[in-house]
């Protein structure tokens, strides 16, 4: 008899976005004449910049020529891309990262889930609440039981407090999905110091770093002194360069970053992850990595920035419009997400239903991101401008 991994049974019934999808499909069946505007799932709408698609077309041509054809690439990613990342994303900000510390992957979702393989089953995990669901679910699937939630609500300005009991693995995501919050250098330093003192690890997800507009806000955990000893950083081309359908991301593991065996012996996480990649991963396609490389060209940077600016203007329209209507709004600066306080003491799902039926707008109930998200609601600014404006009009009419 084949036995299943029963940890799966500990997951909540359905992944958040599947539940939303199901509800929307049911609504559509009964209301086929209504146009639905999606401000729910965080997927981009602007097409890939032409400098990126041109680079990918060229790479395709290379694949069709025997002299330039590429088979399996390096598991860790092509050097040409790792060099650009090292130079453009880190060196230019005064951060030292070696190109060999960068691992190219097919998504930060898989990376933030797969990284848990490096750590012992009994590790104590700390996650902010509300949170990007992947962190929690991947640890549940792995069988970790000791999960500590760090509530982030308006009472603490959505800034997590240090865990009450010592934790080994700590997930931080800034700019934050879903709350849109950012942390200052001083606030991040508290976490780096905590991790150093407790021999813990910080898993720092900065998938939205390109949305940071305020000078003083750090883009990378490695801007904080001492972070190289305690942090892994995750980044993605998805929301920054429109790669949600292309798939390319990377993570950084500094070479001095250590974990410990049960006997207390030090082991470098970089070599463990490298070993894991060579065992389980055959790299991201050459064509994709050529597209990602083009993000760093002068033209690529201009085009990518134009798209980000477009989404940032969308988020301002939503933020200002909703504030004028009297909604209590958080996020929406340095972030493509609006985190809204549900009015009239309704639950997040009640507000979801109301918004869907009365205004035909799909958002994401805050409670889907964790218990502390109850009473809140997330709207994304990744839509087309006309839809954002139409959505605002519909919300106005909803009253
Ligand atoms: N990390 C966070 C915080 C996200 O919100 C998302 C996507 O929504 C991801 C990672 C996933 O990124 P990718 O498309 O690279 O898998």
């Amino acid at each position: 008899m084949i036995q299943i991994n029963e940890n799966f049974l500990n997951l909540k019934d359905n992944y958040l976005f599947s539940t939303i999808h199901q509800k929307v499909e049911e609504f559509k069946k009964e209301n086929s004449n209504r146009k639905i505007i999606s401000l729910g799932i965080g997927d981009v709408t602007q097409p890939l910049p032409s400098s990126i698609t041109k680079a990918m077309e060229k790479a395709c041509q290379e694949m069709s020529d025997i002299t330039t054809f590429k088979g399996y690439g390096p598991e860790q990613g092509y050097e040409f891309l790792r060099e650009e990342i090292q130079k453009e994303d880190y060196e230019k900000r005064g951060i030292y990262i070696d190109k060999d510390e960068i691992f190219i992957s097919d998504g930060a979702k898989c990376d933030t889930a797969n990284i848990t393989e490096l750590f012992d089953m009994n590790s104590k995990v700390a996650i902010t609440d509300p949170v990007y669901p992947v962190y929690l679910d991947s640890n549940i699937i792995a069988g970790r039981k000791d999960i500590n939630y760090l509530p982030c609500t308006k009472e603490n300005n959505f800034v997590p407090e240090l865990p009450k009991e010592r934790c080994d693995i700590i997930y931080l995501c800034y700019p934050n999905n879903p709350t849109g919050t950012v942390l200052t250098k001083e606030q991040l330093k508290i976490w780096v110091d905590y991790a150093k003192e407790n021999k813990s690890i910080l898993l720092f997800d900065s998938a939205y770093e390109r949305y940071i507009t305020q000078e003083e806000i750090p883009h990378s955990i490695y801007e904080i002194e001492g972070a190289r000893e305690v942090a892994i950083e995750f980044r993605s081309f998805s929301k920054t360069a429109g790669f949600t359908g292309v798939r390319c991301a990377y993570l950084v593991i500094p070479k001095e970053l250590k974990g410990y065996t049960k006997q207390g012996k030090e082991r470098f996480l970089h070599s463990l992850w490298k070993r894991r990649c060579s065992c389980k991963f055959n790299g991201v396609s050459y064509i994709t990595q050529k597209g990602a490389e083009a993000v760093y060209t002068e033209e690529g940077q201009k085009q990518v920035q134009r798209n980000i600016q477009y989404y940032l203007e969308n988020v301002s329209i939503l933020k200002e419009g909703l504030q004028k209507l009297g909604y209590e709004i958080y996020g929406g600066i340095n972030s493509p997400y609006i985190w809204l306080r549900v009015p009239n003491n309704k639950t997040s799902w009640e507000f979801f239903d109301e918004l869907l039926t009365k205004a035909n707008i799909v958002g994401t109930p805050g409670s889907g991101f964790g218990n502390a998200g109850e009473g809140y609601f997330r709207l994304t600014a990744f839509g087309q401008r006309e839809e954002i404006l139409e959505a605002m009009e519909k919300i106005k009419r909803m009253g």
Side-chain angles (χ1 to χ4, degrees):
M1 186 170 69
I2 180 72
Q3 290 202 333
I4 59 157
N5 172 359
E6 290 196 19
N7 297 326
F8 275 91
L9 308 181
N10 297 327
L11 291 170
K12 274 203 191 143
D13 245 6
N14 218 337
Y15 185 67
L16 173 61
F17 292 105
S18 318
T19 314
I20 292 175
H21 180 73
Q22 211 176 319
K23 273 182 169 263
V24 173
E25 285 309 303
E26 276 162 24
F27 180 79
K28 273 188 192 160
K29 246 188 246 161
E30 281 158 32
N31 302 276
S32 53
N33 57 336
R34 308 261 190 102
K35 180 187 168 198
I36 305 228
I37 299 178
S38 174
L39 306 179
I41 192 160
D43 197 359
V44 293
T45 51
Q46 295 306 293
L48 283 172
S50 58
S51 55
I52 294 173
T53 50
K54 271 188 204 141
M56 292 173 85
E57 279 165 23
K58 186 163 172 278
C60 266
Q61 289 306 318
E62 287 179 50
M63 291 300 242
S64 69
D65 182 333
I66 195 157
T67 61
T68 47
F69 168 75
K70 304 263 186 307
Y72 289 125
E75 292 101 357
Q76 195 172 342
Y78 283 99
E79 203 166 305
F80 62 76
L81 179 55
R82 288 187 285 115
E83 264 171 13
E84 287 301 322
I85 292 170
Q86 185 251 327
K87 233 177 25 217
E88 300 296 323
D89 287 347
Y90 293 103
E91 201 175 287
K92 278 201 173 160
R93 291 197 165 272
I95 303 166
Y96 171 74
I97 292 292
D98 191 289
K99 64 177 187 297
D100 289 340
E101 295 173 330
I102 298 164
F103 293 81
I104 311 293
S105 78
D106 59 351
K109 185 179 199 173
C110 340
D111 280 345
T112 50
N114 290 335
I115 202 75
T116 58
E117 286 181 25
L118 289 185
F119 309 111
D120 185 72
M121 196 58 68
N122 297 314
S123 307
K124 286 175 193 279
V125 181
I127 58 172
T128 52
D129 175 10
V131 75
Y132 178 51
V134 176
Y135 313 152
L136 175 63
D137 286 357
S138 54
N139 277 289
I140 291 177
I141 291 170
R144 290 201 181 85
K145 301 271 185 306
D146 203 341
I147 307 215
N148 295 261
Y149 297 90
L150 312 174
C152 298
T153 58
K154 68 174 191 170
E155 284 71 29
N156 59 10
N157 288 321
F158 306 96
V159 177
E161 280 161 28
L162 292 172
K164 298 230 167 7
E165 52 175 306
R166 190 200 157 273
C167 283
D168 302 293
I169 304 171
I170 299 153
Y171 287 87
L172 294 177
C173 170
Y174 293 99
N176 187 261
N177 176 15
T179 66
T181 319
V182 287
L183 293 191
T184 62
K185 281 190 181 164
E186 293 69 31
Q187 286 168 323
L188 282 177
K189 179 86 169 72
I190 294 171
W191 288 95
V192 170
D193 291 345
Y194 173 90
K196 277 170 89 169
E197 210 174 294
N198 291 284
K199 292 197 160 86
S200 316
I201 188 145
L202 303 180
L203 301 178
F204 190 77
D205 187 343
S206 62
Y208 298 95
E209 64 83 27
R210 281 268 176 153
Y211 290 84
I212 296 173
T213 50
Q214 289 173 312
E215 269 294 299
E216 66 280 11
I217 301 298
H219 289 239
S220 164
I221 189 72
Y222 304 118
E223 287 179 54
I224 315 303
E225 199 196 327
R228 281 184 60 87
E229 295 158 48
V230 291
I232 293 178
E233 178 157 292
F234 303 87
R235 293 227 183 156
S236 170
F237 292 94
S238 283
K239 309 297 163 72
T240 59
F243 273 54
T244 52
V246 179
R247 313 303 303 143
C248 196
Y250 65 88
L251 63 81
V252 178
I253 308 187
K255 289 202 176 139
E256 53 264 56
L257 192 53
K258 287 176 276 195
Y260 301 86
T261 64
K262 285 204 171 64
Q263 287 75 35
K265 279 196 183 154
E266 294 177 350
R267 285 286 179 270
F268 289 108
L269 297 183
H270 181 275
S271 36
L272 297 187
W273 187 249
K274 199 166 172 161
R275 183 70 185 84
R276 189 252 176 217
C277 285
S278 62
C279 163
K280 291 198 175 181
F281 192 51
N282 259 335
V284 177
S285 85
Y286 174 72
I287 299 162
T288 298
Q289 292 191 61
K290 274 288 168 189
E293 184 193 26
V295 169
Y296 297 101
T297 58
E298 206 182 319
E299 189 54 19
Q301 285 290 296
K302 265 193 224 149
Q303 292 178 324
V304 161
Q305 197 48 43
R306 215 173 290 145
N307 285 353
I308 302 243
Q309 201 49 40
Y310 178 87
Y311 297 132
L312 283 171
E313 280 163 24
N314 278 353
V315 90
S316 296
I317 293 170
L318 285 175
K319 189 175 163 77
E320 282 161 29
L322 289 164
Q323 273 171 336
K324 262 193 209 143
L325 293 177
Y327 284 90
E328 201 179 315
I329 299 297
Y330 303 95
I333 306 170
N334 305 305
S335 164
Y337 294 122
I338 295 278
W339 190 240
L340 173 158
R341 182 92 182 118
V342 173
N344 307 325
N345 291 324
K346 289 204 174 99
T347 67
S348 301
W349 278 108
E350 280 168 354
F351 189 67
F352 173 91
D353 289 333
E354 189 179 349
L355 205 60
L356 178 62
T357 52
K358 291 193 181 159
N360 310 141
I361 294 169
V362 181
T364 312
S367 55
F369 297 100
N371 291 340
E374 181 56 276
Y376 293 90
F377 201 77
R378 191 192 75 173
L379 295 173
T380 84
F382 289 118
Q384 308 265 12
R385 177 66 45 84
E386 309 73 61
E387 290 198 328
I388 297 283
L389 294 169
E390 202 181 331
M392 271 319 307
E393 279 307 310
K394 286 182 161 184
I395 296 174
K396 228 184 260 176
R397 267 184 263 134
M398 190 173 106

